[in-house]
Structure formats: structure tokens, C-alpha cells
Amino acid sequence: MGHPFEEDNVISRASDERDDVNVLVILGHPRNESFGGALADAYREGCVQAGVDVRSLAVADLEFDPDVHAGCPSDQPLEDDLLAAQRDIEWADHLVFVYPNWWGTMPARLKGFFDRVFEPGFAFAEYDEGEGAGHVELLDDKTAELIVTMDMPPWVYRWIYRQPGTNALKRATLGYAGIETTRVTEIGPIEDSSLEERNEWLADVEELGRSLATGPKSRATRAKQKLTAWMGALRLQFYPMAWLAYTIGALAAADLSAVFSSAAYWLGLGFLFFLEAATVFTNEYFDYETDRENTFAGPFTGGSQVLVDGQLSFEELRRAIGATLVLSALFGVGTLFAAAGSPIALSSAMVVLAALALGYTAPPLKLSYRTLGEATVAWTHSIGVLVIGFLAVGGSWHVPEPWLLGVPFLLSVLPSITLAGVPDYAADRAVGKQTIAVRFGLAGAGAFAMGTALLAALVGLVWYGRSVASHAYGPVISLSLGHALVLCWLIHRRLDATAGSQRIDGLMLASLSYIGWFAVVPVITLV
């Protein structure tokens, strides 16, 4: 299972794991002949011993105006020394800032250095497009660490004063440019320290430099980031929808005590979890091209971006897809053995569900590229799993109840999955992915989402009025019509406001919460 963009991904990951790290040590003290200067020299010596490439920059030696006189920093020409500093920063993989803590923060000259050097176009770029207004981090391929001296015990600065300067530099300055701060070393109190204490601090800082032989991040940090990447790739926010549909089906076939005491029910949940995991991993893998083009990715659209950002590799995803498919199959077989219903009907439903779920982006089906993706997601997350839940605890496939329960659920899913194509519109169109938004335009996608939202509410009301499907819908379902009307108004207002791709996180939240009427209400009623 190869991928045409795998080489690019390997190259981007290599910069995070290679041994030949380029290190720039920046002394932010306005006096080079200070203890901070000695610390910077010690760190540099450690880097030399570690065998990494290191350069030094002393802000005190630079000739520049620290004040921004123009309306925008980028409108003020940079002095030669600052241009050279930018080139050094571009060269570096790891930035080390050594400076004293004065009045809770950095010296004025170092602050002026950031004001001038970290200008728009170098450290970040801003954009303003609907809900997508924000900025792009331009230095996100770099890490940093801070070595801060102070005339108070570090614990006082950390716990009493809450580290105002450190937090500002980590989050509001370096973080805004995309630079990850991997380590902060606070040293003090300096003023009353002994020669022995200072020598110990110098030795400690030299050891920090030597530690770069294994990279700028500690093993614990790397492990934590890898775990975070996998959690992001799993996209757990989408699992409850299928689990609720599955539980509705099970409750339609048996009472609560029988469902939760059924081994088949719990094994079926395991089957669904690992199938969902395999599906999102597969989507991440085969949608890499469109995810790479997407500048409007959010919590509900555009993939998790862990592959695009190099947090995970293609090989890691391949192994994860294989492992989750094997686990899904094992739980599926266990469900078949434990199920009270027909194993033939249940196994057929499982195979169909797996084929449609994986075929959403994976060849040869690639349903999302044929304007069938939205219908596929709606089916697999409603009727598909609802019927499996019904069959697992002893229901029969020819009973109409689970199919009827799934109809309004399916219709309620369609608005959110259709709207999810709006932020991805430009990227999907560029790679030939024929979503509803691409094929029929944003207005067409909006009309389809509004129509299916209203239809879901109307079907739910009809089911309630005719006591269809074991009275799964009580009178509270009438409130879904109000939600549908509000959602239609939001769609009309939001998609009319701007043209082209856009972040629509608020609208996505409104459409996803709409599913609750047809997921949560039946569960409560059937219980």
C-alpha cells in the first residue's frame, strides 16, 4: 500500500529526528560579560561536544533600533544585523535563548529584538476569511529552549509570580510563530550565589548542550507528543454517533438488562471501535493530498493533519490500519459466536459496513471521490450500525423496526457531513474529489443540508404520530423541528456571507448537535 507523497513526508519527519541539529544560541543579556554570557558559552561548549552545528548571536552586539516606528513591523526596513539574525534563525533547527529575568520578563533590548525580527512574513502570516481569520505559523519547523537567570528562587517565580515572562515568550511570541519550546531552565538566585553554585550551574547548562546529541526533545516529550498524535489521528469526536445508533438497534431488540448483559453487545462495540479507527486512519492515509492542500482544517473537517504535519509517518499509519483491521475482525468473529441472532445476517451486515466504511476514501471504491461519500457516512453511522446492534442481541433482519429507526437518523447525519465539505471545497476540488459541495457548489450543498435537516425532523414527527418503531420518539422530538429551522437559517446566513472555502466551526457544531435528537432521544425512550 504505497503512497505518491510518501517521500515528501519522510523528508519532513527527518528534520525532527536527525542527529545533525543546527543550534543557534542567542544571548539576550545587554552585557555580554555577564553570568548569562558564561552560561551561553557553556551551552555552546556542550553543543560542540555533542557534535551538533552551533552558532552564537549576542543581541548586545547588534546595531538596530529596538522600536517599531512604522504602522507594521514589516514596513520598517531591517538593519543589516537583523537581516543576518533572520538568516541565522532560518538556518537553525533549535533556538536557545539565554537571558535574565528583569521585572518578571526579558530585558528591553531582547524584547526589541523580537519586535523587529519576528515580523509578519518571517515569523507568521495573517489571513482574514470568514471564521477562518487567523494566522499561519512560519517557523513551525523549529524548537526552542529558554535558560533564564533571576535574583529570586525559581520556585517563587514559578508558583508565586506564575512565570509571566516565560509564559509570554513561550506562548505569545515563540508559540505564535509555531516554535515549540521543549525545555525551560530557570537559574537563581544569582546575586547572592557562591562560586561553587555558579560552577554547578555552568556544568548543568553544558550538559544541556551535550544532551542535543539525541535531539532537542527528551524521550518523555517525544513519547507524549507521539501519544498526542495518535489520539488526534483517532478523531474520537466522531465515534459516539455510531455507538448511539448501535445501542438504539440493540435496545429495539431487547430490554436494557438483556442488552448490557449480552457479550455480543460488548464485542460488537469492540468491532465498531476498531473498524472506526481503521476507517479514520485509512482516510488520513488516502486523503493526504487534499489534506495537504487544505488551509481550513478544523476539529470536524480537513483530517487530523498528523500526517501532513509529519507527526506520524506513512509507515506508522499502514501498521495502524493493519492492526486495527485485525482487531476489528477478531471482535467481529467474537460477536458472531456470541450473537443470539442469525450469524449469516449479522456477518453479511458487518461485511457490508466494513466495505462501505473503508471504501469511503480507499481504492477501488473511493466513494468520497464519486459524490457518494456523504451518503456512505450517513448510512454507516446510522442504519448500518443500528441493524448490526439489532441483530447482535437476537433481532431478525426482516423486522422493519431497525430500518425505520435508522431513516431519521440517516437524514440527520447528512447535513453535517455535507457541510463538512465546505471548508474542504478548494482542496477537494484541486485534487478532483467530487463531494456534494464540489459537484453542486456551496449553494447546492447548503440547500441539500437544509432539505435533509427538515426532512429528518418531519420523519421523526411522523414516526412519533404513528407510534412507529416501539414508540422510540416521544413528544420531545417535536423540538427537533425548531432546531432544524435554526440550522437552516444559520446555513443560509453563513454560506451567503462569503464565497469559497471557509472555516464554519460554529455551523458544524450546530449541525452535529442536531443529530442528538435522533440519537439520544430514542436511547432514552427505549430504555
Side-chain angles (χ1 to χ4, degrees), residues 162-434:
R162 309 299 293 174
Q163 299 176 289
T166 300
N167 290 333
L169 183 51
K170 281 176 56 177
R171 300 170 186 171
T173 305
L174 299 175
Y176 196 82
I179 302 172
E180 177 190 357
T181 301
T182 60
R183 184 164 55 193
V184 176
T185 303
E186 294 165 338
I187 299 173
I190 298 296
E191 186 174 3
D192 297 325
S193 61
S194 66
L195 179 60
E196 182 180 2
E197 286 176 317
R198 295 192 178 204
N199 286 333
E200 288 179 359
W201 287 327
L202 290 171
D204 290 341
V205 168
E206 185 175 316
E207 178 57 33
L208 293 179
R210 279 196 297 270
S211 71
L212 294 183
T214 57
K217 299 178 184 177
S218 68
R219 289 187 179 89
T221 298
R222 291 196 294 267
K224 179 181 177 181
Q225 290 180 336
K226 186 65 71 174
L227 177 61
T228 301
W230 281 116
M231 295 301 293
L234 278 170
R235 310 204 82 190
L236 295 175
Q237 62 267 38
F238 296 116
Y239 292 56
M241 182 165 50
W243 297 348
L244 285 168
Y246 174 76
T247 302
I248 290 171
L251 291 172
D255 60 37
L256 181 64
S257 60
V259 167
F260 289 147
S261 63
S262 168
Y265 173 81
W266 297 108
L267 288 167
L269 273 182
F271 163 76
L272 290 179
F273 176 85
F274 289 111
L275 178 60
E276 184 93 31
T279 299
V280 295
F281 291 155
T282 301
N283 293 345
E284 201 77 29
Y285 187 89
F286 288 103
D287 262 352
Y288 174 75
E289 185 178 356
T290 182
D291 289 347
R292 191 168 72 161
E293 297 287 333
N294 199 327
T295 58
F296 295 94
F300 310 115
T301 61
S304 68
Q305 299 286 307
V306 295
L307 194 58
V308 173
D309 294 339
Q311 298 173 53
L312 297 177
S313 69
F314 285 96
E315 178 58 29
E316 287 173 317
L317 270 185
R318 280 197 293 267
R319 290 198 296 265
I321 291 169
T324 49
L325 284 176
V326 168
L327 288 168
S328 180
L330 290 174
F331 274 92
V333 170
T335 305
L336 290 175
F337 279 106
S342 167
I344 296 176
L346 181 56
S347 61
S348 298
M350 287 178 165
V351 169
V352 171
L353 181 74
L356 290 176
L358 297 171
Y360 177 73
T361 52
L365 295 179
K366 298 187 72 170
L367 297 167
S368 62
Y369 288 78
R370 309 174 192 273
T371 323
L372 296 172
E374 290 84 356
T376 299
V377 172
W379 173 274
T380 55
H381 286 73
S382 60
I383 295 176
V385 292
L386 200 151
V387 170
I388 290 174
F390 189 78
L391 296 173
V393 296
S396 175
W397 69 269
H398 55 74
V399 174
E401 189 168 15
W403 305 90
L404 292 172
L405 279 170
V407 171
F409 202 136
L410 181 150
L411 291 169
S412 72
V413 173
L414 283 170
S416 60
I417 191 61
T418 300
L419 293 172
V422 171
D424 304 343
Y425 172 81
D428 289 343
R429 186 178 182 184
V431 301
K433 189 174 182 180
Q434 291 293 306

